Amino acid sequence: MPRPATVLLTALAPVSWGTTYAVTTELLPADRPLFTALTRALPAGLLLLAIARVLPRGLWWGRAAVLGALNIGAFFPLLFLSAYRLPGGMAAVVGSVGPLLVVGLSALMLGQRPTARTLLTGIAAASGVSLVVLKAAGALDALGVLAALASTASMSAGTVLTKKWGRPEGVGPLALTAWQLTAGGLLIAPVALLVEGAPPALDTGAVGGYLYLALANTAVAYWLWFRGIGRLTATQATFLGPLSPLTAAVVGWAALGQTLTAPQLAGMALAFGATVAGQLGPRTGPASPGSPAVRVRRPYARI
């Protein structure tokens, strides 16, 4: 598939994630972040696992658990915690430094030397997102800031490790996505039960919202995301991340009656320009079947 098409398909993931705030605030029960994280991850993971019908083998049990914890199990709860405790989109501002973290981790773990253009693009992306979502606020909650930083670091590390480890021979992105969502959901489940108790009563709107989050927003979006990581560099993939807060701003304006100011429009243009610039790296493709990242001793069997 031509790289532009891969970029566009991968970009659908953060665009979908940008609708999460509107769905959560308009349709879902209040103050149930862990239950929401659980219903996003575990049903989607089990559904994709039933479709892929492939289980991890050997060291990939551990790798799937690590990736599931970083990309899903830790990222989801920390993200929701920061969103609940920080005002005015501050969580998105902290999250916008993700591309810079990925650039640094890629240098350490993948041997990809950062360029001045990449660093400047990352700064521009963070600045643009800040203009879009940041509002005046008083003292910041320390726990919220730490949660936002930890969620960003978790997803950044998961993105780089996903690129570093690749996929086992004979295993597609659908199975890899299923493993991570299932592992992450199983990690969230006991925490959600202990902290929030039994599931809340759900009306029709909430059921529809959870179905959307589990299917389109998670199962499909994360499959596109991990598929894209396999075909793009980790840096190119992470520079698509600013599309999420940009989409949230557009949805807020179009569906929730929120206004967009001149500084926000300027920030959207700056962040979108940085997203486009972030794709102007070297052309890459999936690892070859014989590379160390994907070599296995035995073929994978379907279950």
Side-chain angles (χ1 to χ4, degrees):
M1 179 180 293
R3 207 187 114 228
T6 299
V7 171
L8 291 175
L9 286 174
T10 308
L12 292 177
V15 168
S16 174
W17 299 334
T19 66
T20 303
Y21 176 79
V23 172
T24 300
T25 56
E26 298 300 311
L27 298 176
L28 304 186
D31 301 323
R32 301 303 295 264
L34 291 174
F35 178 75
T36 299
L38 175 61
T39 54
R40 283 188 69 187
L42 191 55
L46 294 175
L47 173 63
L48 294 185
L49 190 62
I51 296 173
R53 299 177 61 201
V54 177
L55 292 176
R57 179 175 293 171
L59 59 82
W60 270 97
W61 281 104
R63 287 183 174 181
V66 171
L67 293 177
L70 291 173
N71 288 320
I72 308 296
F75 173 69
F76 277 8
L78 288 169
L79 180 66
F80 279 113
L81 177 61
S82 64
Y84 272 93
R85 300 185 71 98
L86 294 179
M90 180 59 71
V93 174
V94 177
S96 67
V97 304
L100 293 174
L101 289 178
V102 168
V103 168
L105 290 172
S106 295
L108 292 174
M109 301 170 65
L110 304 179
Q112 296 177 356
R113 184 176 180 180
T115 65
R117 182 177 65 84
T118 301
L119 295 175
L120 290 175
T121 302
I123 294 172
S127 301
V129 171
S130 299
L131 287 173
V132 173
V133 302
L134 191 59
K135 297 179 174 62
L140 296 178
D141 181 87
L143 179 59
V145 172
L146 289 175
L149 287 172
S151 68
T152 302
S154 180
M155 185 65 167
S156 298
T159 297
V160 176
L161 277 179
T162 300
K163 186 64 182 180
K164 178 179 177 64
W165 288 338
R167 300 192 304 269
E169 185 178 9
V171 172
L174 188 70
L176 183 65
T177 305
W179 298 349
Q180 295 187 56
L181 288 171
T182 302
L186 291 174
L187 181 64
I188 296 170
V191 180
L193 182 61
L194 290 173
V195 175
E196 295 181 352
L202 303 178
D203 58 20
T204 302
V207 171
Y210 281 124
L211 285 174
Y212 168 77
L213 290 182
L215 298 177
N217 189 266
T218 302
V220 174
Y222 272 92
W223 169 66
L224 290 172
W225 181 250
F226 293 129
R227 174 185 175 276
I229 291 176
R231 301 184 178 209
L232 304 171
T233 69
T235 302
Q236 287 171 326
T238 195
F239 269 115
L240 296 173
L243 293 176
S244 180
L246 296 187
T247 301
V250 172
V251 170
W253 167 74
L256 304 181
Q258 299 173 357
T259 59
L260 290 174
T261 65
Q264 285 179 304
L265 292 174
M268 292 175 71
L270 180 60
F272 185 77
T275 297
V276 174
Q279 306 312 306
L280 302 179
R283 182 184 299 270
T284 61
S288 62
S291 68
V294 297
R295 186 183 295 124
V296 293
R297 294 182 179 178
R298 294 174 293 174
Y300 275 63
R302 293 186 175 274
I303 56 174

